[in-house]
Amino acid sequence: MSGRPAVAPPTVAAVRRELRRVVDPCSLAIGSPVDIEAMGLVEDIAVDGATVRVSLVLTDTSCVFWQGIRRHVADVLLELPGIECADVTLCTDVIWTPDRRREPAPA
């Protein structure tokens, strides 16, 4: 036993809130920053104990920013108390369309 108190894993809603910290690089490049949650890039979130899995849909399957987005998402998720592993994958069976965008949630 480590002597550290056990930390409950975050909820899916808490993970979703944290993902609002990750800005879509293309939106940033055009001067209109939008987070990946509001952009509709988050396809699925699963929390299993100390592991969180996030599946993303990209606006373009050949996105040159994929590896950077993946690392940024993982880094943000690993800051959450109770998370020890962040698995970020690309969903290849869903195509992003503009109707996936949603209004950003209030801060």
Side-chain angles (χ1 to χ4, degrees):
M1 293 186 72
S2 68
R4 290 186 295 163
V7 176
T11 63
V12 169
V15 171
R16 198 171 292 282
R17 275 192 308 275
E18 286 301 305
L19 291 175
R20 290 176 41 210
R21 295 176 42 204
V22 180
V23 175
D24 171 55
C26 289
S27 72
L28 191 60
I30 63 169
S32 184
V34 179
D35 68 80
I36 64 171
E37 174 65 23
M39 191 71 181
L41 302 182
V42 180
E43 177 63 17
D44 190 46
I45 299 170
V47 179
D48 182 14
T51 299
V52 63
R53 290 179 182 80
V54 174
S55 176
L56 300 177
V57 174
L58 300 179
T59 57
D60 182 342
T61 56
S62 63
C63 176
V64 297
F65 298 113
W66 164 239
Q67 292 302 326
I69 294 169
R70 185 179 185 186
R71 278 191 305 275
H72 191 181
V73 169
D75 289 346
V76 164
L77 296 176
L78 288 170
E79 291 177 11
L80 283 167
I83 294 299
E84 296 175 11
C85 178
D87 182 24
V88 183
T89 59
L90 178 59
C91 179
T92 57
D93 58 348
V94 175
I95 296 173
W96 184 90
T97 56
D99 63 311
R100 291 180 63 97
R101 286 189 63 151
R102 50 182 118 0
E103 289 300 313

